[in-house]
Amino acid sequence: MLDLKNVSVKYGNFTAIKDINIRVDKGEIVVLLGANGAGKSTTFRTISGLKTPFKGNVLLEDDLIDNKPPDKIVKQGIVQCAEDRKLFPEMSVQENMMMGAYIHRKKKNKIKQTLKEVYKLFPVLYEKRKNPAGSLSGGQQQMLAIGRALMSKPKLMLLDEPSIGLAPLIVEQMFESIKQINKEGTTILLAEQNAHAALSIADKGYVYENGNIVVEGSSKELFANEEVRKAYIGA
Amino acid sequence: GEETGGDGEAVVNIGYTGPLSGAAAYYGENTLNGLKMAVEEINEEGFEVNGTTYTISLETLDDQYLPNEAAANARRLVQEYNTPIIYTPHSGGVNALQVFNEQENFIIGAYTSEPAITETGNTLTVRIPPSYAGYVEPFTKYMMDRFGNKLAALPPVTQYGKDWAEGLIPHWEEQGGEVVHNASIDFSKDTDFFTILTNALEKDPDVLLIGGASEPTAKVAQQARELGYEGGFMIMDQAKLDEMKKVMGETYEPLEGSIGTMPLINADYPGTDEFVEKYREKYGEDPGSEAGFHYVSMYIFVEAMKEAGNVEDAKVIYENIQAGLDSLPEDKKVYNIPNIDENGGFEIDTRIAAIEDGEIVPKEVE
Amino acid sequence: MFLETKRLTKQFGGLFAVKDVDFSIEEGKINAIIGPNGAGKSTFFNLVSGLYRPTSGQVLFKGKDISNLKANKVAKLGVARTFQTTHLFEQATVFDNVIVGHRLRTKANLFDSIFHTKRLKREEEQCKEKALEVLQFVGLEHAVDHLVANISQEEKKRVAFALALATDPEIVFLDEPTAGINPDETAELSELIEKMAENGLTICLIEHKMQMIMNLAEQIMVLNYGEKIAQGTPEEINRNEEVIKAYLGGSTSA
Amino acid sequence: MDVLLQQLFNGLTIGSVYSLVALGLTLVYGILHIPNFAHGALYMVGAYITYTIMTSLGLHYLLSILTSIIAVGMISVLMERLVFHPLKDSTPIQHKVAAIGMLLFLESFAQLIWGADYQQMETPFGQVIDFFGLTVTMQRLIIVITAVVAMILLYLFLKKTFTGATIIAMAQNREGAHLVGINTNKVAMLTFFISGVLAALGASLTSPINLVFPSMGHLVILKAFVIIIIGGMGSIPGAILGGYIIGFSESIGATYISSDYSDIISFALLVIILTIKPQGIFSKGGV
Amino acid sequence: MAAFFNKRNIVVGFILLAVIFPFITRNDYFLHVMTLAFIWMIAVYGLNLLAGYTGYLSLAHAGFFAIGAYAFGLLTVKAGFGFWPAFLLAPIITTAMGFLIGLIALRTKEHFFAIYTLCVGYIIYLVIDKWEGLTGGVRGLIGIPAPSSIGPLTLSTPIAQYYFVFVILLLVIFVIYRIIHSLTGRTFIAIRNSEELALSLGISTTKNKLISFVLSTFFAGIAGVLYACFIRFIGPDIGNLNITFDLLTYMIVGGIGTMSGPIVGTLLIVWLSQNLQFLQDYRMLIFGPLLTLMVIFSPRGISGLFALWSAKRTRKLKPKTSNVEEQA
Ligand SMILES: Nc1ncnc2c1ncn2[C@@H]1O[C@H](COP(=O)(O)OP(=O)(O)OP(=O)(O)O)[C@@H](O)[C@H]1O
Ligand SMILES: Nc1ncnc2c1ncn2[C@@H]1O[C@H](COP(=O)(O)OP(=O)(O)OP(=O)(O)O)[C@@H](O)[C@H]1O
Ligand SMILES: CC(C)C[C@H](N)C(=O)O
Ligand SMILES: [Mg+2]
Ligand SMILES: [Mg+2]
């Protein structure tokens, strides 16, 4: 479904990712692991069209997307839930959600339907639907960010460290939700520091180091890999 | 200002600095149009001084109605083009030029009705239009007779406007009038005159003193009428009744009871008709008095140069202006100017007009 | 206590970015602050270094209340800091960037500048020497004349250190000094931090890199939603249930 | 008492115009963080275009306004594309200087095309209505009503439509807007378009009560800046409220303080406000 | 080629050219224009110190220029001061006003600062315009004395005045150069770079910003005084926003934050305007877009372009340490 072929990305003179190859198949959950600054978010930004690769190609269902603007990419069904959430702080929760459905704005009924579904997934959001997004707690904001992304009914959802700043209980719920969303047909590419939890729900993973992918394999393989265990899972 | 052109003809440079951009540009252009027309006519044949035939080259610079710019321009005109005469159509510019015109030896062709400029003792200033001092009396009399003695003064915030009001007010009060309101209007800053007019009309005046460029002055009058004002307008000489009429929608009706200067097109000096006709043909519109005055003054200066036998020395030319006036051909007399007074002001019989029953009616001046 | 905060609180609108934090830093040691993103760590730094005024509570430096001093006054007392995002002057050389770091120890004023007085010359010399000294200390002597725009991420971090050191501080606050730096270079920067401590400086740093923190820090404070949830040695923190739950991760034991 | 009432109405008229102009300015500032000094020039161009269409094509006043606001909207969009878009990663000083450059250009351009003289714009709504001593001309009534309607429409557009919401969304988080699939270039252009429309509308409405000339935008734009700072830069209700505050304080100030100093009043107001609150009164804390 | 254009040669060349200019020029008018250009340069240097080196764009600059001119005018014309006492006192008055205004204005930042100063500038203009009792309002001030002689040196001829202004300009440039290339200048640049960082480095940003602001008003004041005694007639319009915009144009075209920018920009634009007199009313048709294009394509102005060019040249020879004035 999604293919990154020999992608390199630069910030000025600094190469943040080098010659990366990633493949995500339909229906999968794929996880990106790696330390801070390894290049995970950069990969996401590149897929979303916020950055243009300096080298290499990004393909969505054999369609070249690396030179398309972000809005076109969203229309093609890739939506990102960014690391720092990027919510609209002064708009209400519901308005944020509606903006998430921007690309479907003509289909009012369908939006209502999706909205219901998302509220079912995150009931807190329903309770808070009239509050400005900026007033939510970190965890709630994270849910809102995911909820907003879901509103566009993506084929492929990019989740950049969704567990950041969340209490463990919520983290568990979150991973449950991700599994749920995936079951309902959305392919997921996930970046996580919480490697254990992430690998538990993922089909396969890639491990980043300094902008390179150093290890890749199925979740089982990664769990089994001594280095990966030591560096990211501990013990 | 003597230069020998390619074909053996000599050239006299005459300078002009006035507003060619900014809020007063239209006014500036009108003054310049008069000069240009005269120069073109004169250059057809050239004029002879001491056996040499001269043509005129008009050097113009923009000063945006700013005195300091006028001063800078004048320096440039003298130093670069050696102009014995420099025109400027605003009193601020005249004041600024008077600082150094004697030292640099050039005549100021002062197109301003400000009487003060001829009272400073400057020996090289020629005031072209009549001083507004001449309007104070007849205007006051007409207004008091027709409307009453409560005056609200709303002059424009130019030096000219303020001085005008200050010249009028003492006379008005001497005649038993009362000034119920006095505030100036800034045409370049106020978007709407209602506020200022509401305050003026609150005092229930019989007469409003207004003036400045014709178009905004007309707007002030119009809005005063909208606010229910029924008294008369005393219109300072810069604004022209005929130009105001255009803004009013080609009617004098809202200006009923106004008194102001006689529009040039309605005047009957010997050269007026011919001038108006030529001007219409050339510029496609009616000439205002500024065009007329500039036109005639250019001829006067040329006559003065001929009489003086000199095209360079401002002092000598200046001394011969009276002679020039005397030898001015009848058909160039767009205005009738018999004399120049000892301070350098042209003595012109002031013609004023009032609007009565929607018509321009000439008024006598004693 | 060397530097101490008492019930330190900072509110942004309704949000408590830092709430009732009591923390004390021991002289000559390496202290660390950890916690999830948005926990209030940088805000805490901003409070201590005088960039923000606390909503309530106090900051004491060597017994003196500095809570309401402006940042420049705080710096003069010997408190230096780096920022999470380095703002260096990209188009100038490393050397030119660092020179101004010692400005606070000089007295030359406008008069001196215009008349090129002896004092100015002496102090300029002093600033230059200082700059060279600290650049040497952080291991950048080779890059003194390079444009900042042309040096690596890691070198930029070192320049930021050098700037802080040029102020002649007694305590240095480092906000994520190794963010975006690879493990090898991180190790080198850790060494530099240790070297600073060995030279008698007190250090307080924010980091997300647990391995590094655990090796480096002698004392750790954990913030969560603005509140201090734990404080102690690395071992203690590692065992602390609440910390594991809030930050280190419930299911994994680091 | 009558004067007070009349002056309140005068303040309402002029305040409506100020609000319209300030709205466009604040919209652009809110989204793109550009203090568009050229906005006053758009105002002036708007008046000239309406005037030209009326006189040369003989179109009805209202139709001319319609054409003019679209044309100025386009010019505004062009300005975004050619000037501000290439500068999107530049420093604030560069934005300001670029905007000033455009201002100087447009003014000079207007003089080249239309001359420096005053132009008179006719209005079919010259009727004077007198209610109990209060003088209201039809034109002024139209100014107030149109301004209020335009503001309500803008409010509804921003609040109730998806396209409008994108403008607000982008003002709050540019990248966030990207991520939900909004074409931020389009939104920037749309914003500039609306801003141009509002400027041209304000100018076309006031021109019949005054005149059209190249420097007509100067003071209006300065005051619009005062307004959006008072109202909080980027705040829509702030701009509307600020417009009326300035409108009223001018007309009342001219009556009870001094008409010579009425212009100073609004600037002094600003200086006082910024002296007390350097971030403006309606701004939220923080940086 | 590049070696020939080293800094010292350029400076010496500039001074020499300026010194012999009166002997090569065709007429007094050019001398007049040049003298005026020098006066503008002084004001632009002031603006550049604040906007270019400290990062604060003041749009009240013409206001301070006018304060200087009016202070001088009023002292000589109305208060009966002699030329020299007034010449010294007027910049001091301007600076005092600058100090008071700076205290308040500098509480704001970026756009707020620009707009705040825009309004302050406008208020200054309005006050001069309306306070007729003091300033003469629209009538302006007439009869301001020309520079009086210093001992045997008379300053009444255009050439003498030209040299007089030129000497003051050189002094100003020298002072600015000293400031920029000293600890004070580094401090300003640090503030422009990042106020937060500067603060945490122990720099009192409040004090230094104020110093920079006050200095900039001081130079505006000197320029105003020179203008007043050179033109000898002043009106409120010298405080108008247009003048600020002109100064801004000179600075941006020449190169903001560069030592040579004010000279290059002012000379270029002033002489260009002289030669574009035929389209004088439409000058801005060219200068407006020029300003905008400059900002888009060469944010450092002509001096920046030149620096880039010569840096490219010299890089081939040896790696060069940057100069403060060529920094971003
Ligand atoms: N806008 C930027 N400009 C310059 N460098 C950047 C920028 N954004 C990221 N980088 C650098 O690119 C590298 C990769 O960053 P990235 O954000 O992709 O890492 P990450 O793996 O997502 O880390 P984290 O776990 O902290 O989110 C880092 O070294 C970072 O410093
Ligand atoms: N100037 C400010 N105005 C309003 N809120 C702020 C401000 N600065 C910080 N905050 C908020 O305060 C909280 C704490 O922020 P802070 O930057 O201190 O977090 P942090 O612990 O440093 O996080 P990180 O690890 O991501 O750097 C966050 O919710 C942040 O959004
Ligand atoms: C009526 C005109 C002769 C007056 C001229 N506008 C002036 O400023 O003096
Ligand atoms: Mg990341
Ligand atoms: Mg932080």
Side-chain angles (χ1 to χ4, degrees), chain D residues 8 15 33 70 80-81 156 160 210 230 235 255 257 287:
Chain D
L8 283 176
H33 299 278
I70 292 171
E80 196 275 335
R81 283 291 91 184
L156 292 179
K160 301 287 171 199
N210 198 325
I230 290 179
S235 156
T255 312
I257 304 175
V287 194

mmCIF file of all heavy atoms in Angstrom, chain D residues 8 15 33 70 80-81 156 160 210 230 235 255 257 287:
data_model
loop_
_atom_site.group_PDB
_atom_site.id
_atom_site.type_symbol
_atom_site.label_atom_id
_atom_site.label_comp_id
_atom_site.label_asym_id
_atom_site.label_seq_id
_atom_site.Cartn_x
_atom_site.Cartn_y
_atom_site.Cartn_z
ATOM 1 N N LEU D 8 -23.403 60.815 17.868
ATOM 2 C CA LEU D 8 -23.367 59.370 18.015
ATOM 3 C C LEU D 8 -23.625 58.718 16.664
ATOM 4 O O LEU D 8 -22.953 57.760 16.282
ATOM 5 C CB LEU D 8 -24.410 58.904 19.034
ATOM 6 C CG LEU D 8 -24.023 59.136 20.492
ATOM 7 C CD1 LEU D 8 -25.166 58.741 21.418
ATOM 8 C CD2 LEU D 8 -22.766 58.366 20.857
ATOM 9 N N GLY D 15 -17.432 54.844 12.283
ATOM 10 C CA GLY D 15 -17.003 53.616 12.953
ATOM 11 C C GLY D 15 -17.265 52.387 12.087
ATOM 12 O O GLY D 15 -16.479 51.446 12.070
ATOM 13 N N HIS D 33 0.126 36.618 10.040
ATOM 14 C CA HIS D 33 0.994 37.450 10.882
ATOM 15 C C HIS D 33 1.716 38.531 10.084
ATOM 16 O O HIS D 33 2.875 38.811 10.301
ATOM 17 C CB HIS D 33 1.966 36.580 11.667
ATOM 18 C CG HIS D 33 1.242 35.638 12.567
ATOM 19 N ND1 HIS D 33 0.774 36.014 13.796
ATOM 20 C CD2 HIS D 33 0.821 34.380 12.377
ATOM 21 C CE1 HIS D 33 0.107 35.004 14.330
ATOM 22 N NE2 HIS D 33 0.127 34.002 13.490
ATOM 23 N N ILE D 70 -14.742 42.734 -6.195
ATOM 24 C CA ILE D 70 -14.142 41.521 -6.757
ATOM 25 C C ILE D 70 -12.756 41.841 -7.318
ATOM 26 O O ILE D 70 -11.782 41.133 -7.066
ATOM 27 C CB ILE D 70 -15.052 40.915 -7.834
ATOM 28 C CG1 ILE D 70 -16.320 40.387 -7.156
ATOM 29 C CG2 ILE D 70 -14.332 39.791 -8.568
ATOM 30 C CD1 ILE D 70 -17.400 39.948 -8.090
ATOM 31 N N GLU D 80 -0.691 38.697 -2.427
ATOM 32 C CA GLU D 80 -0.304 37.561 -1.585
ATOM 33 C C GLU D 80 0.636 36.651 -2.366
ATOM 34 O O GLU D 80 1.688 36.260 -1.880
ATOM 35 C CB GLU D 80 -1.552 36.798 -1.133
ATOM 36 C CG GLU D 80 -1.310 35.854 0.027
ATOM 37 C CD GLU D 80 -0.787 34.480 -0.374
ATOM 38 O OE1 GLU D 80 -1.025 34.038 -1.519
ATOM 39 O OE2 GLU D 80 -0.126 33.832 0.436
ATOM 40 N N ARG D 81 0.224 36.335 -3.595
ATOM 41 C CA ARG D 81 1.022 35.409 -4.409
ATOM 42 C C ARG D 81 2.410 35.966 -4.699
ATOM 43 O O ARG D 81 3.407 35.291 -4.566
ATOM 44 C CB ARG D 81 0.321 35.140 -5.748
ATOM 45 C CG ARG D 81 -0.840 34.193 -5.724
ATOM 46 C CD ARG D 81 -0.418 32.781 -5.451
ATOM 47 N NE ARG D 81 -0.451 32.529 -4.011
ATOM 48 C CZ ARG D 81 -0.066 31.402 -3.456
ATOM 49 N NH1 ARG D 81 0.412 30.411 -4.188
ATOM 50 N NH2 ARG D 81 -0.133 31.250 -2.163
ATOM 51 N N LEU D 156 -20.936 34.740 10.095
ATOM 52 C CA LEU D 156 -21.597 33.470 9.764
ATOM 53 C C LEU D 156 -20.699 32.614 8.883
ATOM 54 O O LEU D 156 -20.591 31.407 9.073
ATOM 55 C CB LEU D 156 -22.932 33.725 9.062
ATOM 56 C CG LEU D 156 -24.013 34.348 9.946
ATOM 57 C CD1 LEU D 156 -25.280 34.592 9.149
ATOM 58 C CD2 LEU D 156 -24.300 33.453 11.142
ATOM 59 N N LYS D 160 -19.958 29.340 10.509
ATOM 60 C CA LYS D 160 -20.927 28.312 10.134
ATOM 61 C C LYS D 160 -20.581 27.535 8.872
ATOM 62 O O LYS D 160 -21.266 26.577 8.537
ATOM 63 C CB LYS D 160 -22.328 28.949 9.949
ATOM 64 C CG LYS D 160 -22.852 29.646 11.183
ATOM 65 C CD LYS D 160 -23.276 28.653 12.256
ATOM 66 C CE LYS D 160 -23.573 29.420 13.536
ATOM 67 N NZ LYS D 160 -23.563 28.607 14.744
ATOM 68 N N ASN D 210 -17.441 61.678 0.702
ATOM 69 C CA ASN D 210 -16.268 62.529 0.583
ATOM 70 C C ASN D 210 -15.842 62.498 -0.876
ATOM 71 O O ASN D 210 -16.675 62.507 -1.763
ATOM 72 C CB ASN D 210 -15.160 62.047 1.516
ATOM 73 C CG ASN D 210 -14.106 63.110 1.750
ATOM 74 O OD1 ASN D 210 -13.799 63.886 0.852
ATOM 75 N ND2 ASN D 210 -13.550 63.145 2.938
ATOM 76 N N ILE D 230 -5.988 47.779 19.508
ATOM 77 C CA ILE D 230 -6.905 47.919 20.629
ATOM 78 C C ILE D 230 -7.754 46.662 20.752
ATOM 79 O O ILE D 230 -7.981 46.135 21.822
ATOM 80 C CB ILE D 230 -7.800 49.166 20.434
ATOM 81 C CG1 ILE D 230 -6.956 50.425 20.601
ATOM 82 C CG2 ILE D 230 -8.937 49.163 21.438
ATOM 83 C CD1 ILE D 230 -7.724 51.692 20.414
ATOM 84 N N SER D 235 -8.128 39.438 16.221
ATOM 85 C CA SER D 235 -9.454 39.172 16.779
ATOM 86 C C SER D 235 -10.545 39.858 15.961
ATOM 87 O O SER D 235 -10.519 41.064 15.757
ATOM 88 C CB SER D 235 -9.499 39.652 18.222
ATOM 89 O OG SER D 235 -10.824 39.927 18.600
ATOM 90 N N THR D 255 -16.447 66.948 19.650
ATOM 91 C CA THR D 255 -17.484 67.806 20.200
ATOM 92 C C THR D 255 -17.085 68.355 21.562
ATOM 93 O O THR D 255 -17.214 69.531 21.828
ATOM 94 C CB THR D 255 -18.788 67.010 20.360
ATOM 95 O OG1 THR D 255 -19.030 66.321 19.146
ATOM 96 C CG2 THR D 255 -19.941 67.931 20.699
ATOM 97 N N ILE D 257 -14.002 67.831 23.281
ATOM 98 C CA ILE D 257 -12.616 68.189 23.591
ATOM 99 C C ILE D 257 -12.130 69.246 22.594
ATOM 100 O O ILE D 257 -12.082 70.413 22.907
ATOM 101 C CB ILE D 257 -11.692 66.960 23.599
ATOM 102 C CG1 ILE D 257 -12.242 65.929 24.599
ATOM 103 C CG2 ILE D 257 -10.280 67.369 24.022
ATOM 104 C CD1 ILE D 257 -11.493 64.622 24.633
ATOM 105 N N VAL D 287 3.094 34.840 25.128
ATOM 106 C CA VAL D 287 3.826 35.617 24.133
ATOM 107 C C VAL D 287 3.204 35.544 22.757
ATOM 108 O O VAL D 287 2.796 34.521 22.319
ATOM 109 C CB VAL D 287 5.292 35.134 24.038
ATOM 110 C CG1 VAL D 287 6.125 36.149 23.275
ATOM 111 C CG2 VAL D 287 5.868 34.950 25.428
#
